[in-house]
Amino acid sequence: MFAEIGHFTVLLAFAMSIVQSIVPLIGAQRNWAGWMRLADTAALAQFLLIGFSFAALTYSFVVSDFSLAIVAANSHSAKPMLYKITGVWGNHEGSMLLWILILVFYGALVALFGRNLPSALKARVLSVQAMISMAFLAFLIFTSNPFLRIAVPPADGNDLNPLLQDPGLAFHPPFLYLGYVGLSMSFSFAVAALIEGRVDAAWARWVRPWTLLAWVTLTIGIALGSWWAYYELGWGGWWFWDPVENASFMPWLIAAALLHSAIVVEKRDALKSWTVLLAILAFSFSLIGTFIVRSGVITSVHAFANDPERGVFILAILTVAIGGALTLYAARAGQLRTTAVFGLVSRESGLVLNNLLLVVATAVVFFGTIWPLVAELTTGRKLSVGAPFFDAAFTPFMIVLVAILPLGAILPWKRAQVGKSLKNLRGAMALSIALGVLVWSLQTGGRMLAPFGLALAAWLVLGAAMDLLVRARFRDNPIRTTLRRLRNLPRSDWGKAVAHAGLGLTVFGIAAITAWEQEDIRVVDLNERFTVGAYDFELTKVIDQNGQNYSAQIGSVTAYKGSREVAQLRPEKRFYPVQQMPTTEAAIDIGLTRDLYVVLGDKQDDGGWTIRTYIKPFSNWIWIGSLVMALGGCLSLTDRRYRVAGAARPSARRVAEPAE
């Protein structure tokens, strides 16, 4: 009965989304205050209705109600409680309901905390947001109903994919969806502004916190997914350029470009047309990602569905949303004129170059992801675009971006002199180059990637620190005054510097693990020692052990450095009997400067065991840097200017004048 009520609340939310899509939009057009206020009530009602529906589905998983098809297909009575709950979104139908829950959650946030928004703009934003939820609620109801019953319920369920029974995957999808779906707010603000014919500095100030929140959560979600792939799949890699990984990476890149572009609109009243286009594209790539994951066009461990009917439905949503927004943009773009003028060398120009590099890099990823699908449709041949293409085509743009970032951040607005700005960065540049040369001289052979990567990483971190010092006018003030000025800098300035430094840490981690990683695969007898790099390893025993819903063979490996024991590692080979599926659980001794990574393979006929061993230098800096980037975004979000964004929007200033 609880499930039927959950289904009914989905239907009510669908009806509410139709009302919210139409009534406030008419009210904003005719300046009817009551009709515009309905948007707040409808947005909150949608969130409560979908929240109840999601709670009903979660309850069905918790109590193992196998009369629901989704529970029978994705749960089991012996499964740990954490994975019963995460099983709610470990499948297509449940994850789609989570997607919609987060979508209406953002709408509710605007209704609750958008008091400073002009009533007409707020009504239009919530109306556009409701159009998106209406489309996906229709998709859920007509193609992906999570509340379908089974006439004859099974005695037990089919269990969840064992690869998804992991804490990293418990939290990865919610964070990823908070980012994916959060970009819908940028889209709604852009479309609402185009309908209204008005884009100005206040609009940019409203868009930035929503985009920043989406970017932060998307950063965390991507980092969690990368960490899960690193330790769970047993391949030892952290990024595979999988189509679904790319589907989350492309919106992240465009959102980063949007954040930087919105700064120019807010500070200099320039790049308005470009910023609106980026806001549309950011969510468009989220929709493209949803199509890739749920249409069945790719086969991936991340993919949810392979039903062509669902794919066609999502494609229709994608076409209407993106096509409609771009058509409206084409009609209005000529009106988004600006009077701002800036020199070829200026912070505005630096941000434009930043945007171009990010957008071209996104285009490279998009082309590499979609080309095999296009080739198969047009020629019937199956093609594969793998890591070598992405590494060769994507990396140069990121190197240039990293190289210009510290200089672009320190340039003055409107007009600048490169020599004068570089004067503040000479120390950072010299130290970065010195660190790269030192690493090159210390490494015996090896690739230039590590020294070059360290130099770029140091350039980013030191450049971010110098940016703060320049803003505190450290050259003109004593240390105590400089420290006081640093403490009083806006949190958005601190957030920018921390995020840039986090990118530097990630760059160093990527360069170090790519250049210095050591791998060894061999057959090892019990109590036999073997050497990998500077470490010795010994497989002392392998035991059989049963978990709550699996059986496992667990190895015991002792790691030594010289005569000193440094780690006890317990790699596992698990077997899940319900799904008849084996998994590999790598054992990792985590360190700040290296990971010892051991994978237990199959037992050989002669009694030995296959062991794969990696020494992974500085690998954790990849995820430390990602979390530091997210922390920088959070610091910016706490800036008071974003909490009161647009409170004093000028009423007489119309940036988009009627077409002549």
Side-chain angles (χ1 to χ4, degrees), residues 613-650:
T613 309
Y614 298 92
I615 311 296
K616 295 181 171 292
F618 299 99
S619 58
N620 290 293
W621 290 52
I622 297 172
W623 300 291
I624 291 172
S626 299
L627 294 178
V628 172
M629 280 191 277
L631 174 63
C634 291
L635 280 174
S636 292
L637 277 173
T638 62
D639 194 312
R640 184 177 179 275
R641 290 176 298 176
Y642 294 141
R643 296 199 299 273
V644 296
R649 177 175 180 164

Side-chain angles (χ1 to χ4, degrees), residues 81 96 108 144 150 176 229 274 328 351 367 525 538 566 617 625 651:
M81 181 56 68
M96 198 69 251
S144 309
I150 299 175
L176 204 62
W274 174 249
L328 181 59
L351 289 169
F367 175 81
D525 294 324
E538 181 180 357
V566 294
S651 58

Side-chain angles (χ1 to χ4, degrees), residues 305-317:
N306 56 7
D307 185 349
E309 179 186 355
R310 292 170 175 169
V312 171
F313 203 117
I314 295 176
L315 188 61
I317 295 174

Side-chain angles (χ1 to χ4, degrees), residues 289-571:
T290 302
F291 172 74
I292 289 174
V293 174
R294 300 175 189 276
S295 63
V297 297
I298 57 104
T299 300
S300 167
V301 67
H302 307 81
F304 278 116
N306 56 7
D307 185 349
E309 179 186 355
R310 292 170 175 169
V312 171
F313 203 117
I314 295 176
L315 188 61
I317 295 174
L318 188 151
T319 302
V320 172
I322 299 177
L326 291 178
T327 301
L328 181 59
Y329 172 79
R332 292 283 196 179
Q335 302 175 28
L336 304 181
R337 294 194 300 266
T338 179
T339 57
V341 178
F342 53 86
L344 182 63
V345 179
S346 62
R347 185 176 298 182
E348 293 95 327
S349 295
L351 289 169
V352 168
L353 182 56
N354 160 288
N355 270 219
L356 290 175
L357 290 167
L358 286 169
V359 169
V360 173
T362 305
V364 168
V365 178
F366 178 73
F367 175 81
T369 303
I370 211 74
W371 178 248
L373 307 178
V374 174
E376 186 174 353
L377 286 173
T378 56
T379 67
R381 293 186 301 163
K382 288 186 176 293
L383 299 178
S384 176
V385 177
F389 165 81
F390 290 105
D391 292 341
F394 177 82
T395 305
F397 296 105
M398 290 298 100
I399 291 174
V400 175
L401 178 65
V402 168
I404 68 167
L405 206 55
L407 178 60
I410 214 167
L411 286 173
W413 292 104
K414 196 172 182 179
R415 197 169 287 107
Q417 295 178 354
V418 174
K420 186 176 180 180
S421 298
L422 274 176
K423 183 179 178 181
N424 293 315
L425 293 170
R426 283 185 300 189
M429 183 181 295
L431 184 54
S432 301
I433 294 173
L435 286 171
V437 171
L438 176 64
V439 171
W440 175 76
S441 64
L442 289 177
Q443 72 175 14
T444 54
R447 301 162 60 183
M448 283 296 297
L449 177 60
F452 187 66
L454 174 60
L456 281 177
W459 170 239
L460 271 175
V461 175
L462 295 173
M466 187 55 63
D467 182 28
L468 291 174
L469 290 173
V470 169
R471 291 178 185 281
R473 298 180 181 176
F474 76 106
R475 295 185 187 276
D476 304 326
N477 296 292
I479 294 177
R480 181 172 296 181
T481 304
T482 299
L483 292 176
R484 178 176 56 80
R485 292 179 68 91
L486 281 171
R487 187 173 63 251
N488 293 332
L489 284 176
R491 290 185 184 179
S492 59
D493 288 345
W494 275 99
K496 179 188 71 172
V498 170
H500 288 180
L503 178 60
L505 298 180
T506 296
V507 167
F508 172 64
I510 293 170
I513 193 173
T514 304
W516 293 332
E517 180 183 61
Q518 295 172 286
E519 179 182 3
D520 180 87
I521 304 174
R522 65 176 71 201
V523 176
V524 179
D525 294 324
L526 293 180
N527 302 312
E528 174 188 350
R529 280 205 185 193
F530 60 98
T531 301
V532 182
Y535 296 88
D536 293 330
F537 297 86
E538 181 180 357
L539 177 65
T540 56
K541 62 181 177 181
V542 178
I543 62 173
D544 294 328
Q545 185 172 304
N546 291 325
Q548 188 168 339
N549 62 334
Y550 63 87
S551 60
Q553 293 176 314
I554 304 176
S556 181
V557 178
T558 306
Y560 300 89
K561 191 169 187 179
S563 59
R564 180 172 59 92
E565 180 182 318
V566 294
Q568 283 285 344
L569 300 157
R570 290 171 60 83

Side-chain angles (χ1 to χ4, degrees), residues 157-407:
N158 193 43
D159 208 357
L160 181 66
N161 184 337
L163 290 175
L164 304 182
Q165 295 188 38
D166 180 87
L169 261 292
F171 302 103
H172 163 62
F175 275 103
L176 204 62
Y177 289 178
L178 280 167
Y180 256 156
V181 183
L183 292 172
S184 65
M185 288 311 312
S186 305
F187 178 88
S188 295
F189 269 98
V191 173
L194 289 172
I195 294 172
E196 190 176 273
R198 183 171 183 165
V199 176
D200 55 18
W203 174 86
R205 201 172 299 122
W206 289 317
V207 167
R208 280 185 68 195
W210 296 108
T211 306
L212 191 56
L213 177 60
W215 182 85
V216 166
T217 52
L218 195 53
T219 301
I220 296 172
I222 291 172
L224 285 173
S226 172
W227 171 240
W228 166 79
Y230 174 71
Y231 71 80
E232 175 65 24
L233 299 182
W235 302 339
W238 54 274
W239 191 261
F240 304 99
W241 294 109
D242 179 281
V244 181
E245 290 175 335
N246 296 346
S248 63
F249 190 42
M250 289 184 287
W252 186 87
L253 290 169
I254 294 294
L258 173 58
L259 285 172
H260 290 85
S261 180
I263 295 173
V264 184
V265 179
E266 180 183 347
K267 300 291 187 183
R268 295 284 297 131
D269 198 31
L271 302 186
K272 292 177 291 188
S273 178
W274 174 249
T275 303
V276 170
L277 178 61
L278 286 177
I280 294 171
L281 290 179
F283 185 58
S284 297
F285 275 106
S286 292
L287 293 176
I288 291 170
T290 302
F291 172 74
I292 289 174
V293 174
R294 300 175 189 276
S295 63
V297 297
I298 57 104
T299 300
S300 167
V301 67
H302 307 81
F304 278 116
N306 56 7
D307 185 349
E309 179 186 355
R310 292 170 175 169
V312 171
F313 203 117
I314 295 176
L315 188 61
I317 295 174
L318 188 151
T319 302
V320 172
I322 299 177
L326 291 178
T327 301
L328 181 59
Y329 172 79
R332 292 283 196 179
Q335 302 175 28
L336 304 181
R337 294 194 300 266
T338 179
T339 57
V341 178
F342 53 86
L344 182 63
V345 179
S346 62
R347 185 176 298 182
E348 293 95 327
S349 295
L351 289 169
V352 168
L353 182 56
N354 160 288
N355 270 219
L356 290 175
L357 290 167
L358 286 169
V359 169
V360 173
T362 305
V364 168
V365 178
F366 178 73
F367 175 81
T369 303
I370 211 74
W371 178 248
L373 307 178
V374 174
E376 186 174 353
L377 286 173
T378 56
T379 67
R381 293 186 301 163
K382 288 186 176 293
L383 299 178
S384 176
V385 177
F389 165 81
F390 290 105
D391 292 341
F394 177 82
T395 305
F397 296 105
M398 290 298 100
I399 291 174
V400 175
L401 178 65
V402 168
I404 68 167
L405 206 55
L407 178 60

